Amino acid sequence: MAEPRWLNAREDRAWRGYMRMRALLDLQITRDLARDSGLSEADYQVLVALSETPGHRVRLYELAELTNWSTSRLAHHLDRMGRRDLVCKEEHPDNRRAAVVALTPTGLRTIEEAAPHHVESVRRHFIDLLTEEQIDALADATGTVVEHLRGLEDRPRRRSPQRPDKG
């Protein structure tokens, strides 16, 4: 194995600062969201994704892609949200086996009421603390990392060895 490329002091400061900021910021934004609207971060993510789709409805697998969740995790969460009348599942008009997820009127009203509080929390704890130059630098940096990581998703995945048939 090659010698590890250890982080220098500047890189380590940036990495550790990012990790601390991410943890603390996520915690604060999540607390504010729960206090202001009674929603979890997961609820909010799903409601935002649905609110931005045509007709406020989308196929389950497309919603999984929009949220970067597995369809299994998403299906379980949607069941919980459905019990609170935030979303509902419908049959796809052209494919009875395909599930379509839709915002209910309650879900639409909930995201419309939650969004102003959420954006204020994001501003108060993040955006308003940065200069215009810092915001631009952050947008550039995150774009570079996201592009790299998305490129990894496009690579063919190594297949695990097939298990022999039992019997």
Side-chain angles (χ1 to χ4, degrees), residues 51-114:
S51 73
E52 294 174 344
T53 61
H56 305 302
R57 53 186 28 80
V58 67
R59 289 177 67 160
L60 179 65
Y61 83 89
E62 292 172 298
L63 184 56
E65 289 176 359
L66 289 170
T67 57
N68 287 322
W69 291 11
S70 70
T71 52
S72 174
R73 174 186 177 205
L74 180 59
H76 288 294
H77 194 77
L78 291 172
D79 287 342
R80 290 188 294 274
M81 292 179 74
R83 288 192 288 273
R84 292 168 30 223
D85 192 35
L86 298 172
V87 300
C88 64
K89 292 181 187 172
E90 303 172 345
E91 264 187 22
H92 190 281
D94 300 326
N95 182 349
R96 297 183 74 190
R97 293 178 293 158
V100 173
V101 182
L103 267 182
T104 63
T106 301
L108 183 58
R109 188 173 54 255
T110 299
I111 192 61
E112 288 173 343
E113 291 171 0

Side-chain angles (χ1 to χ4, degrees), residues 1 6 8 11 14 22-23 40 43 58-59 63-64 70 72 82 96-97 109 119 122 126-127 137 150 152:
M1 176 184 228
W6 300 112
N8 64 34
E11 294 164 337
R22 184 188 68 197
S40 69
D43 293 336
V58 67
R59 289 177 67 160
L63 184 56
S70 70
S72 174
R96 297 183 74 190
R97 293 178 293 158
R109 188 173 54 255
V119 75
V122 170
F126 186 62
I127 296 297
R150 290 283 187 220
L152 295 177

Side-chain angles (χ1 to χ4, degrees), residues 160-167:
S160 57
Q162 299 294 318
R163 286 197 257 171
D165 290 335
K166 294 182 180 181

Side-chain angles (χ1 to χ4, degrees), residues 142-154:
T142 57
T144 297
V145 174
V146 167
E147 185 177 323
H148 164 76
L149 295 172
R150 290 283 187 220
L152 295 177
E153 289 178 357
D154 294 340

